[in-house]
Every structure is written in structure tokens, then in C-alpha cells.
Amino acid sequence: MNGALLEVAAISVTFDGFKAINRLSFSIGPAELRAIIGPNGAGKTTFMDIVTGKTKPDEGQVLWGEVSRNLIGMNEARIARAGIGRKFQRPTVFEDQTVFANLLMALKNTRAPLAVLFYTPKRRDVARVEDLAGEIGLAEQIRRKAGELSHGQKQWLEIGMLLAQDPKLLLVDEPAAGMTLGEREHTADLLREAAKTRAVVVVEHDMEFVRRLDCKVTVFHEGSVLAEGSLDHVTRNQDVIDVYLGR
Amino acid sequence: MRTLFRTTPSLPVFLAVLVVFTLGVTVLSEAYGIGALSTSFIKTLGKTACLALVAIAMDLVWGYTGILSLGHFAFFGLGGYMIGMWLMYARTELIVLDSLAAAPLPPTPGEISDAIAGQIFGVVGAADLPMVWMFAHSFWAQMALVVLVPGLLALVFGWLAFRSRVTGVYLSILTQAMTLALSLYLFQNDSGLRGNNGLSGLQNLPGADAIPQATVSIWFFWASALALLLTYVVAAFVVSGTFGSVIRGIRDDEARVRFLGYPVEGFKLFVFVLTAVIAALGGALYYPQAGIINPAEIAPIASIYLAVWVAIGGRGRLYGAVIGACVVSLLSTWFTGGQAPDLPLGFYTVKWVDWWQVGLGFSFVLVTLFAPKGLGGLVDLVSHRLSPNRHGAALGPDTGALREKEAEQ
Ligand SMILES: Nc1ncnc2c1ncn2[C@@H]1O[C@H](COP(=O)(O)OP(=O)(O)O)[C@@H](O)[C@H]1O
Ligand SMILES: [Mg+2]
């Protein structure tokens, strides 16, 4: 299918009669950076829930990879193993464990219980974790508990865990929320860097941040795509101005 | 083993304490020492070691993986039943052979088997050996059943429950229902396990009548201490390393672990079955020391006690489980045994036999509210390990997630 990595075709989902996603279609290529913007409640998080298997759509298809495998019906863990990584809106790292343990757990490796039980980290695994910690700016904190990190550092740790998973597609939900200006710049750089070798979808509210990402933008509204194109293109779109930017 | 010592600093300490304690008890015992400790006290110590062992299993499944199973004592009891069947059968067989030897004609196998069945099942008015006693003549077969029966029960139950993503309090209720169903079943006379009489005389090892109980008791004490040590090592191995990271991750935020690609249900099932088997082995060592097992042992409340021990000892740390089980069960023996002096309040005299349960319940509430780290938290005071100075939100969104306060640095 024209070389798309992920092809979401006309999905809909209804919560208690409320149509959160309405015949939404979306597609992204193998090494592409894409920003999704849209007002609160537009269905951005629900869209990620569907792609990652957390929510089952009422209709439509989610096709993945060269062979266009349908992801609907697969459980979260299998979808993750197929190569889709996800960062949540709220930073969710394992606070009781060290930065090192968090990254090591995420590292692309065996996932079966018995194999994990007898797994001991190879030297190159440790090296990879240390590299990642450096990349996300947490080399100093590697032995500290994730719970002791600042909000921004937790967000980075979570991005680091995503990178450790080495997914083909990264879904990132509002990574810059609650970050200082400097932290935002670092985050945007991380994501742009990541998108050189894989597909990255970033949901974000902050226009400055989206501008910094410098990529194609998709605007969601009431569960479907309202506009798509460059940031300048969509911000000139009258519909977009009405529902989103105008307020 | 070297890495285990590094990742589990409590292991060498625990090992040293256990070895010294075992040697001390041996020296004070009647059979191999000066006889300062009574045989029944040595049995109490051996039984306590088994309880500490099952508490470690409970800590693995609850404290580390966040599954509040209120059914692990059922596995403990099943282990006891499985070994009890062999003990009872083999000893009865010897007695029957002895008495039939006096008869003029040598007994046929059928006569022997009928006589054994009559001896064992006379109390419930049955004369045939039920199907479940099929392997009771063989020590090794029954030993295999000690592992297989509770292991399979845990596998089937866990598979059904985890697959449908039953978690939290619903899972706890399900495990209680399982325990209740099992004990009610065993209470029936036609369950094939002697109904409410249970299995008795388990302290008498077949063919070892000449060996005094003083000696047998110290053997069992050694075996229990060794089993406790091995359990500690296995548990330390399980919770250190990436497997430990994953199960603690499941406890704190199981959805997040799924998105990392780990099959959460598989991990839960593994821990559930492993701990069920550990509990069963503990039961198989406990009941020969207790001498009797009956369905009341499997009552739902027993499994709740297990959770109380781990909570009081401090969940999420292995030595906490051991401390909780030892302290609470020894105190319980002391109070309920009538040894504790009554507390005269003037207008009312507190008799501990009656009030101990209330006191235990009260301390459980206090620990849960004010000292979530339990007695194990005292170790932190000694080793100066201060918690991160943050405020007490849960470490994850799931119920059963450790609270921040509990996290060690
Ligand atoms: N599990 C759910 N149950 C009921 N309603 C939901 C659920 N998840 C999302 N919604 C609703 O669907 C709409 C889209 O939500 P969401 O995808 O979180 O929006 P966004 O992330 O774009 O702000 C919202 O109106 C929200 O209230
Ligand atoms: Mg959202």
C-alpha cells in the first residue's frame, strides 16, 4: 500500500453513545515525523489507544508493515513486540526502580517469562543502556530511582525507554507538557533525531513546539481528520482557524 | 551466587542468622545436645520455618507482583494432604502386615488392601480405598503429587483468572472462593480424604517407630530450615534482575508493562504457579510436624492470616515476610497457648486466649495505616537507608502499587 508503515482506515469508536473517533483515516511512512494537533477531546489519545490495542474500534482497519497485517484483535504486548512503542500523556516510568532498570527492561530483547528469568545483561546491553542514558541527558542519574527525577527528566526517561525498545513506530502523547523552554528544545531534538530512522507521531498542543519539529501536521477534530499539510498550510485553513486556533 | 549476594544484600545476613540459629537449636535439643529445648518447642520452631517459607511465597506473589492472592494457604494445605496420604498409608500398611502375619494363612494382596482401607476409612464408614489414594503406597508418586496437584490447580485457576484480566479485589475474592470451595469439598466424608477427621498420626514416620520423636523433630527442623534457605535463595533469584523489574513493574503499572511488549499474563501465571508449588512444599514439611491435617487448615481465614503476616513484616522485601511470619506465629502460639499472663485492668481481666485475635487485627490496621513498611522497615533505620524525600502518592495507578513511602532508596 504505497509504502506506508501504518495505515489506519476509516476507524470509528463509540463510548456510551458518544462517537470519540468517527471514520478516521491516517497513514504514515517508515521514516517520517508527523505532528497531530487538535482541541482537547478531539480523539488524539483514543487514536493511540486503538493503534496500540488498548481500545478496540467498532469498525475500520489498522494495517501494519510491509505485509499490511491487521492489528485489530491483537493484544497490547503483541502489538508492542511487532514494533509500535508508545509514550503516555502523563509520564509513566517505574518510579520504584532505577533509571538503569527502567531502560534495561525496555531494551529490545527477549520477552518470554522463562527467558527473562534466566537473562543476564550482556556487556553490549549495558553499553546500549548507558548510551541511551547519555542521549536523554540522564547519564548522571543512571543509578537513581526514577521516582526522584524531575518531571522533565521522567518524560525523557520515557522517551529513552521507547528508543530502547527500538520500535519502527513511536507514538508520543504530549511530550512537552509541563516542560521548561530548554527542556522542550532538547525534547524536540530527540524526536527529530529518532525520526531519521523510524516513524514518529507526536501529539502536541504547543504550536512553538510543533513548529520546531518542522514536519507535516495532521489536525484532528471531533474524531476525524480536519486538515493535513505543513504547519503554515493548516494554520491558514479556515476550518482549522474556526475550531481550534480561533478560540 | 556471587551476583545474588550483590543484588540481595540481605542474603548473606539471612544465611548467617539461619545457620547460627539452627546450630544453636541443635545444641540445645534433646536429641543432639543438652536437652534445654523440649521436643514440642522444636516442632514449633520447625513449623515456624515452614510458615516463614510460605510467607516468602506470599511476598513474591503479593509484595512483588501485586497479586493479593488470598488462597495460598490452600496450596500449603494440599501439599500437606499429599504427603499425609503416603505417611498414613505406609504406616497403616506396616501395622496391618504385622497383625496379619499372626494369621495361619499368608494374607492375599486383596486382604491387605481391604484391611488398610478399613483401618483408614473406618471413621467415615467406608471400606474401599478411594481412587485418589491410588498412588498412596508410593512415596515418590505422592511426592510428585505434592508438586503436581497444587501446581495444576494454580495453573488452571491462574490461567482462567489472569486471561480474563481479573485484578485487584476481584481476584482476591476469587482466590478466597477457591479456598472456601476446596475446604468445603474436603469436609465431605465422600471426598476420599476422611472428611473433617482429616489425616492424622502424621508425626509417626513409617518404619521409624524405634526412633524417638525428639530425634525425628530435630530432623524435620533441619529439613525445614534448609527448605527455608533454598526458598530464600530462589526468591532472591526471581526478584533480582530483569524478571524482578518486570514483576515489580506489573505491580506498579501493569498496562505500562504491556506496552513494553511483556506478556503480563504469562508473568503473573508463572509467579502464581511457582509460589503455589513453594507453598505446597512448605505444607508437605509442616504437617508431618503438626501430626494432623484437616479441612479447617485450609479455611479461607488461614490465607488471610498469611497476608497479615506479610503486611506486618513488610511486603516487597523477602526478610520482611520471614520476620512477619516468625513474629506473628510465635506470638500467636504464646498467646493462644495460655502462656501469656492475663492483664488485669481492675474492672476487667484481659484473657489473651480470647483477645489475641483482636490485638492482631488491631496491629494489622495500625501497621497498614502508620507503618506500611512493616517490621522490615526497622531494618532501614539501622542501615540508614532513607527514603526519597517525597510525598506519599502511589508509585503506579494500579491498586496494589507500592506507595512512595514504602519504596526503599
Ligand atoms: N474510555 C473512555 N470512556 C468514555 N469516554 C472516553 C474514553 N476515552 C476517551 N473518551 C472520550 O473521548 C473523547 C476523546 O478523548 P481523547 O482521545 O482523550 O482526546 P484528546 O487526547 O484529543 O484530548 C473525549 O471526549 C473523552 O471524554
Ligand atoms: Mg489526550
Side-chain angles (χ1 to χ4, degrees), chain A residues 90-126:
Chain A
R90 206 170 50 79
T92 42
V93 295
F94 300 105
E95 310 219 339
D96 186 33
Q97 306 193 36
T98 61
V99 170
F100 184 87
N102 270 278
L103 289 170
L104 187 66
M105 210 192 311
L107 203 62
K108 186 173 189 172
N109 244 323
T110 174
R111 294 299 199 234
L114 266 183
V116 173
L117 184 61
F118 293 103
Y119 160 81
T120 38
K122 312 269 175 311
R123 190 163 295 147
R124 72 160 187 269
D125 296 336
V126 175

Side-chain angles (χ1 to χ4, degrees), chain B residues 235-258:
Chain B
F237 174 70
V238 168
V239 302
S240 61
T242 306
F243 192 94
S245 281
V246 173
I247 58 175
R248 277 178 290 156
I250 291 174
R251 172 192 69 198
D252 293 339
D253 189 347
E254 96 175 45
R256 184 71 183 90
V257 179
R258 283 202 183 94

Side-chain angles (χ1 to χ4, degrees), chain B residues 69-107:
Chain B
S69 163
L70 296 177
H72 265 59
F73 229 79
F75 304 128
F76 187 83
L78 273 180
Y81 263 103
M82 291 305 128
I83 199 66
M85 285 160 78
W86 174 75
L87 284 168
M88 222 173 154
Y89 186 96
R91 213 174 93 85
T92 312
E93 186 179 32
L94 289 178
I95 294 170
V96 164
L97 285 179
D98 222 30
S99 69
L100 289 183
L105 284 175

Side-chain angles (χ1 to χ4, degrees), chain A residues 20-235:
Chain A
I21 298 283
N22 188 7
R23 296 194 61 76
L24 178 129
S25 295
F26 178 94
S27 113
I28 187 168
E32 190 188 339
L33 180 59
R34 177 76 60 88
I36 295 180
I37 61 174
N40 257 329
K44 306 180 298 287
T45 301
T46 308
F47 162 74
M48 293 195 168
D49 286 347
I50 291 171
V51 173
T52 54
K54 191 178 176 198
T55 302
K56 302 245 172 311
D58 306 331
E59 53 175 8
Q61 285 188 308
V62 180
L63 302 175
W64 169 251
E66 283 128 49
V67 295
S68 291
R69 182 147 60 127
N70 195 350
L71 295 184
I72 293 173
M74 276 166 60
N75 67 34
E76 298 97 312
R78 278 190 61 201
I79 293 178
R81 289 200 295 275
I84 298 182
R86 172 172 192 183
K87 192 206 154 304
F88 290 82
Q89 203 161 331
R90 206 170 50 79
T92 42
V93 295
F94 300 105
E95 310 219 339
D96 186 33
Q97 306 193 36
T98 61
V99 170
F100 184 87
N102 270 278
L103 289 170
L104 187 66
M105 210 192 311
L107 203 62
K108 186 173 189 172
N109 244 323
T110 174
R111 294 299 199 234
L114 266 183
V116 173
L117 184 61
F118 293 103
Y119 160 81
T120 38
K122 312 269 175 311
R123 190 163 295 147
R124 72 160 187 269
D125 296 336
V126 175
R128 175 83 185 113
V129 166
E130 281 164 356
D131 282 353
L132 276 166
E135 230 173 287
I136 54 175
L138 293 179
E140 307 269 281
Q141 282 81 12
I142 194 158
R143 293 287 156 202
R144 297 200 38 204
K145 288 219 167 186
E148 300 165 29
L149 301 178
S150 75
H151 179 81
Q153 288 173 323
K154 283 182 197 167
Q155 299 272 38
W156 289 336
L157 175 55
E158 203 179 356
I159 294 175
M161 288 166 73
L162 272 185
L163 297 175
Q165 268 177 275
D166 194 21
K168 297 194 188 74
L169 169 66
L170 246 104
L171 301 172
V172 189
D173 205 349
E174 304 199 17
M179 282 191 170
T180 64
L181 193 64
E183 288 174 335
R184 277 159 194 257
E185 285 175 9
H186 182 195
T187 308
D189 292 345
L190 276 174
L191 294 172
R192 274 219 307 276
E193 183 62 34
K196 285 181 182 156
T197 51
R198 67 195 94 227
V200 179
V201 176
V202 184
V203 165
E204 191 47 71
H205 270 300
D206 180 70
M207 283 301 159
E208 266 320 296
F209 187 82
V210 175
R211 190 167 297 284
R212 193 178 290 278
L213 290 179
D214 187 26
C215 65
K216 191 168 163 185
V217 176
T218 303
V219 186
F220 277 24
H221 177 56
E222 293 182 346
S224 36
V225 174
L226 185 66
E228 200 164 75
S230 72
L231 185 59
D232 291 329
H233 171 81
V234 299
T235 48

